[in-house]
Amino acid sequence: MIEKPLTPADVEFVTTLHGDDQVSFVVLMQPRGKQDVLLRAIDDVALGEFEDAVHEGAEPGGDNAELPAERALAHTLAQLRAAGAEAVGQVVQDHPLDLLKSVVDETGADEVIVLTAPHFVEEFFHRDWASRARHKVGVPVLKLFSHAADDQPEADGGA
């Protein structure tokens, strides 16, 4: 599960987690615009990213978040494939953990990787994706924090 396109560092990290073993990915991406704006702004402030907190309201929301998410997902899948991994994915419309559980069941996944930015409020109350997924999916859940990159394509930019 991701919320932003993977950076090159993220791709290298997840594709080398298991050494030389061939890995495949089913990437689920929930558009940031479908997440709580207030919680995102609090996280930005906690990280000292005040400029980002000010602009959280400008993040595309609702149906407007779908197209940028599709572009970001396509970019991520292309990077994973270029690194030699098999990769398919979809944008999550609703109920990301229900979809995650069904994907784990249907594919026989060995583990789940949740790769997000830090979410201090949700993590404190164990309401973040990784904490909630651990109680739902029935396989190990690895929580990773995404790398920041100045050259990372924006979700609404050309990917």
Side-chain angles (χ1 to χ4, degrees):
M1 287 191 85
I2 63 172
E3 62 187 1
K4 292 182 176 181
L6 298 187
T7 66
D10 294 331
V11 170
E12 180 179 354
F13 189 61
V14 298
T15 57
T16 60
L17 274 173
H18 298 287
D20 293 332
D21 293 347
Q22 179 63 31
V23 293
S24 62
F25 296 91
V26 177
V27 180
L28 302 180
M29 177 168 199
Q30 184 178 41
R32 283 179 46 84
K34 297 242 178 183
Q35 299 164 7
D36 189 296
V37 174
L38 177 60
L39 289 179
R40 291 192 331 248
I42 291 170
D43 286 337
D44 290 337
V45 170
L47 289 168
E49 298 171 352
F50 303 112
E51 187 70 24
D52 290 343
V54 170
H55 296 292
E56 283 296 350
E59 186 84 34
D63 291 338
N64 294 331
E66 298 298 321
L67 183 58
E70 290 285 347
R71 289 180 183 149
L73 177 62
H75 175 77
T76 293
L77 295 176
Q79 285 192 90
L80 288 168
R81 291 175 188 141
E86 295 178 25
V88 296
Q90 69 182 73
V91 172
V92 177
Q93 304 295 333
D94 297 302
H95 311 292
L97 294 175
D98 292 339
L99 179 58
L100 179 61
K101 170 103 175 96
S102 68
V103 167
V104 167
D105 292 344
E106 290 170 14
T107 63
D110 295 325
E111 71 181 347
V112 167
I113 299 172
V114 176
L115 194 127
T116 69
H119 296 288
F120 293 115
V121 174
E122 292 171 324
E123 290 169 24
F124 180 78
F125 292 106
H126 302 284
R127 300 302 303 155
D128 59 298
W129 285 343
S131 296
R132 292 170 42 207
R134 285 186 182 105
H135 300 286
K136 189 162 188 122
V137 298
V139 297
V141 176
L142 179 61
K143 178 180 182 177
L144 302 174
F145 291 119
S146 57
H147 292 82
D150 294 334
D151 60 350
Q152 179 177 335
E154 294 294 321
D156 60 344

